[in-house]
């Protein structure tokens, strides 16, 4: 089964062969509400099965969107979310900062620090 995660975050949709995609993630707790809605519209337009994902980078976010399948199996059933919760933006920032340190990615670290500075100045 091939899943296209968060289609409107860091993907070039014009380069994807949708014939190879079985399922589209229509809710990603790290994506914006707008991008999640666009993802749902894309899945409906292409008549693709849907899935939900927390995309957890920190343990506190693992249960951001638990779901169950209504049907005999995940491949036949319809996913039904128990609830959907967005990851707070500060946790996304923290996870990106951790990533920049682990990968020794100075450019990512500068982008994250710039974002933190902007958010701090707004307050």
């Amino acid at each position: 089964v091939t899943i296209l995660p968060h289609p409107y975050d860091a993907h070039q949709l014009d380069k994807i062969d949708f014939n190879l995609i079985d399922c589209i993630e229509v809710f990603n707790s790290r994506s914006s509400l707008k991008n999640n809605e666009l993802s749902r519209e894309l899945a409906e337009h292409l008549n693709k099965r849907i899935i939900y994902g927390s995309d957890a980078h920190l343990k506190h976010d693992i249960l951001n969107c638990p779901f169950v399948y209504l049907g005999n199996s995940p491949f036949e059933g319809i996913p039904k979310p128990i609830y959907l919760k967005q990851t707070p933006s500060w946790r996304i920032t923290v996870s990106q900062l951790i990533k920049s340190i682990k990968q020794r990615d100075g450019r990512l670290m500068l982008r994250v620090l710039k974002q933190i500075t902007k958010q701090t100045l707004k307050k």
Side-chain angles (χ1 to χ4, degrees):
V1 175
T2 56
I3 298 171
L4 175 60
H6 47 75
Y8 290 93
D9 298 319
H11 290 286
Q12 295 178 345
L13 297 181
D14 59 328
K15 295 183 179 178
I16 294 175
D17 181 355
F18 286 99
N19 293 314
L20 302 175
I21 302 296
D22 298 307
C23 208
I24 294 178
E25 183 182 52
V26 298
F27 178 84
N28 180 298
S29 71
R30 291 171 62 95
S31 294
S32 69
L33 295 174
K34 179 181 179 185
N35 284 358
N36 282 332
E37 181 58 34
L38 289 171
S39 299
R40 178 172 291 284
E41 290 172 7
L42 179 66
E44 289 173 359
H45 174 73
L46 297 173
N47 197 30
K48 298 291 182 180
R49 297 181 57 74
I50 62 171
I51 196 165
Y52 302 86
S54 67
D55 200 357
H57 289 216
L58 302 172
K59 68 180 180 179
H60 301 356
D61 300 318
I62 289 173
L63 292 176
N64 278 358
C65 61
F67 61 94
V68 296
Y69 277 97
L70 305 176
N72 296 330
S73 77
F75 301 107
E76 297 172 4
I78 298 169
K80 179 174 174 48
I82 297 169
Y83 59 84
L84 301 174
K85 179 181 171 187
Q86 293 291 127
T87 299
S89 62
W90 69 268
R91 282 200 197 132
I92 294 171
T93 302
V94 167
S95 75
Q96 290 299 98
L97 188 57
I98 292 167
K99 178 181 178 180
S100 73
I101 293 166
K102 285 182 175 180
Q103 295 182 353
R104 298 177 185 196
D105 185 341
R107 289 182 188 177
L108 176 58
M109 183 179 284
L110 286 174
R111 283 196 311 270
V112 172
L113 292 174
K114 184 178 177 181
Q115 181 182 6
I116 291 170
T117 304
K118 276 185 177 180
Q119 290 171 350
T120 304
L121 292 175
K122 284 183 182 179
K123 294 177 182 180

